[in-house]
Amino acid sequence: MRDLRDKYIALIADAPDEATLEDLRVQAVGKKGEVSLQMRALGKMTPEERQVAGPALNALKDEINSALSAKKAAMADAALDERLRTEWLDVTLPGRPRRAGTIHPISQVSEEVTAIFADMGFAVAEGPQIESDWYNFDALNIPSHHPARAEMDTFYTRRGADDDRPPHVLRTHTSPVQIRTMQAEGAPLRVIAPGRVYRADYDQTHTPMFHQVEGLAIDKDISMANLKWCLEEFVKAFFEVEDVELRFRASHFPFTEPSAEVDIRCSWEGGTLKIGEGDDWLEILGSGMVHPKVLEAGNINPDEWQGFAFGVGIDRIAMLKYGIPDLRAFFDSDLRWLRHYGFAGLDVPTLHGGLSR
Ligand code: PHE
């Protein structure tokens, strides 16, 4: 019995695979296995012999069975280890983007703008695209008879026949987000609000839906100088140039006082646009010091707080930076255009990694 034990324990230890293990099980403790045959022989023994041999055979059977299952478990562990070793994958390796899809220039530019202002401490705010006329106009110091309402080519929604409340509008600018953020967060405040806006207009530089990014900074002693510095930093970072010349032109918006429009020096020579050189100017944003009435509409005390605001045309600066001549193409969903002007999905714009590698 000792020999039988040693034989099977050794064979089990050396078994190379599960099939061999199963053969060994059948040979040793299967119905016609060696141990079973010996158990059958118990009947022919004297009761005294049987009392010794019986428990010994049972113990042998148990020992072989547990050696079999221990070996089986060890094999499974080894198989798993091997799988883990061969299927190992370095998730920190940079991806290999296929040219299956690209990031739209508008998304890219929105991310770039967000990265730049985030670095200056601006958080991102949002508001609805279908807006009440109070947020889009009244709260921004544009009363109902004000000519600015007509100038903005507003899209109005329709109310029910016996509903005489003023209709909602598709927001004509991101400025209503100023009011919503002031109301929600109070002062001090530093946010940008990128998003879609709508105006009934269509030509090479206008589409009925386009994008703006609003900026709003409110604090105790904010001035036009802060505004100018922020915008200059922004434009330099965005166009990735050391020097850009900006022109602040006195202007008028009902919601800012004083107001300024900002142009950027450029040239159109040979039909291609160059930033920072030449004799042309291109308007890229409107800005100014937040009007006291606008602060009031946002529940902020104008005797205590002041701030600046600006609104940049995202599509405009995208056209400028990436040399895209026709705004309408942005929204045609032409795959050839998207592949040409699109950006690789994994190049997230950051200030340290480069905005538009
Ligand atoms: N809302 C203005 C526009 O759409 C831009 C602007 C925003 C001007 C904030 C001043 C301050 O033209």
Side-chain angles (χ1 to χ4, degrees), residues 104 106 196 202 206-211 315 326-334 337-338:
H104 194 283
I106 300 291
R196 294 185 171 184
Y202 190 67
H206 297 89
T207 49
M209 185 279 298
F210 60 106
H211 301 80
D315 320 71
D326 192 325
L327 178 64
R328 292 169 294 197
F330 273 115
F331 311 114
D332 281 346
S333 301
D334 179 337
W337 187 93
L338 290 168

Side-chain angles (χ1 to χ4, degrees), residues 140 152 172-175 178 199 210 212-215 253 255-256 259-261 283 285-288 308-312:
L140 290 160
M152 281 206 175
T172 57
H173 49 180
T174 42
S175 300
Q178 286 189 35
R199 288 181 206 179
F210 60 106
Q212 291 187 332
V213 59
E214 194 80 6
F253 298 102
F255 32 91
T256 46
S259 305
E261 279 175 299
E283 183 196 322
L285 63 91
S287 65
F308 66 70
F310 57 85
V312 188

Side-chain angles (χ1 to χ4, degrees), residues 185-208:
E185 292 176 27
L189 201 61
R190 225 184 297 171
V191 290
I192 56 163
R196 294 185 171 184
V197 299
Y198 302 83
R199 288 181 206 179
D201 204 352
Y202 190 67
D203 60 34
Q204 193 178 341
T205 52
H206 297 89
T207 49

Side-chain angles (χ1 to χ4, degrees), residues 25-26 45 47 65 89 95 101 120 123 146 151 160 165 191-192 194 241 262 288 335 345:
R25 192 189 63 78
V26 174
M45 292 179 185
N65 272 329
L89 169 76
M120 294 194 243
H146 198 284
E151 279 161 23
R165 290 173 299 168
V191 290
I192 56 163
V241 288
V262 177
L335 269 181

